Amino acid sequence: MARAPSAARFEALYRSCYQDLLGYALRRVDRPESAADVVADTFLIAWRRIDDIPDGQGRPWLFGVARNVMANHQRADRRRADLGARLRQELAGATTIEPSVPPEIAHAFRALPEGDREVLRLVAWEGLGADDLAVALDCSVNAARIRLHRARRRFAEALRSPSLTSRSLSIRDRSDRD
């Protein structure tokens, strides 16, 4: 089966220039993964624009494309770094306020699996109802209700656990003596 001329041309260009382009990118970027991204993006552009590549000038054309791809990557990296700096500056003054709860309740809550804690936090702290919880958990409303019911049941069991009840009694006994 004969290949289309464009595909054959691209394959020949890829085979003859890949190593040169990779070396070019490796000498100009910080990480090998970034160099691989530059080469991949360069060949993606070459594939899309295969008919625009001048005959006999494929190698230098690819270097020009790689140069532009690297410049785009560097601009994107600078934008990400600038955004990160702005966000860090904005968030530096942000405070989180966790609910104040008695130690025995906090202990019981920490004893739950992370999935149960997250379901309970979404409902209690973030005020989500069953419909919203289903969206947040990416499940059906029925499944969200079941998960919430099970999390509440496990939390109630954790609150009734012998280690917790004896611990809370000893805390109360100490406070009664004071």
Side-chain angles (χ1 to χ4, degrees), residues 95-170:
T95 58
T96 59
I97 301 170
E98 291 197 24
S100 174
V101 296
E104 57 270 11
I105 293 175
H107 178 73
F109 189 74
R110 283 191 303 270
L112 295 174
E114 176 55 32
D116 287 350
R117 289 193 311 250
E118 183 61 11
V119 166
L120 293 172
R121 283 188 293 246
L122 285 168
V123 171
W125 295 358
E126 311 309 332
L128 297 186
D131 292 347
D132 295 332
L133 184 62
V135 172
L137 299 176
D138 191 27
C139 64
S140 70
V141 175
N142 191 45
R145 285 186 177 123
I146 290 169
R147 287 175 69 176
L148 177 59
H149 172 75
R150 289 177 180 165
R152 285 176 172 161
R153 188 185 70 226
R154 284 190 279 267
F155 186 47
E157 289 168 4
L159 286 170
R160 288 189 301 267
S161 77
S163 64
L164 185 61
T165 54
S166 64
R167 184 175 172 199
S168 64
L169 286 175
S170 66

Side-chain angles (χ1 to χ4, degrees), residues 6-174:
S6 297
R9 184 171 183 218
F10 176 81
E11 186 176 338
L13 197 58
Y14 182 86
R15 288 180 188 274
S16 67
C17 298
Y18 176 82
Q19 288 299 325
D20 293 341
L21 281 177
L22 182 59
Y24 173 81
L26 284 169
R27 289 186 290 276
R28 287 164 175 78
V29 298
D30 297 341
R31 299 181 346 255
E33 303 85 32
S34 298
D37 288 345
V38 167
V39 172
D41 289 348
T42 299
F43 278 111
L44 178 63
I45 292 167
W47 174 253
R48 289 179 179 158
R49 298 187 53 205
I50 193 70
D51 294 331
D52 296 339
I53 301 172
D55 289 333
Q57 299 292 311
R59 187 172 182 271
W61 187 89
L62 286 172
F63 279 109
V65 170
R67 187 172 160 272
N68 291 334
V69 166
M70 277 190 287
N72 288 339
H73 283 221
Q74 289 167 347
R75 279 191 293 277
D77 289 344
R78 275 194 306 275
R79 283 192 302 268
R80 271 190 296 277
D82 292 347
L83 177 61
R86 276 197 321 268
L87 286 173
R88 279 188 295 281
Q89 187 176 9
E90 283 179 28
L91 296 175
T95 58
T96 59
I97 301 170
E98 291 197 24
S100 174
V101 296
E104 57 270 11
I105 293 175
H107 178 73
F109 189 74
R110 283 191 303 270
L112 295 174
E114 176 55 32
D116 287 350
R117 289 193 311 250
E118 183 61 11
V119 166
L120 293 172
R121 283 188 293 246
L122 285 168
V123 171
W125 295 358
E126 311 309 332
L128 297 186
D131 292 347
D132 295 332
L133 184 62
V135 172
L137 299 176
D138 191 27
C139 64
S140 70
V141 175
N142 191 45
R145 285 186 177 123
I146 290 169
R147 287 175 69 176
L148 177 59
H149 172 75
R150 289 177 180 165
R152 285 176 172 161
R153 188 185 70 226
R154 284 190 279 267
F155 186 47
E157 289 168 4
L159 286 170
R160 288 189 301 267
S161 77
S163 64
L164 185 61
T165 54
S166 64
R167 184 175 172 199
S168 64
L169 286 175
S170 66
I171 291 171
R172 280 192 225 127
D173 290 344
R174 274 186 263 143

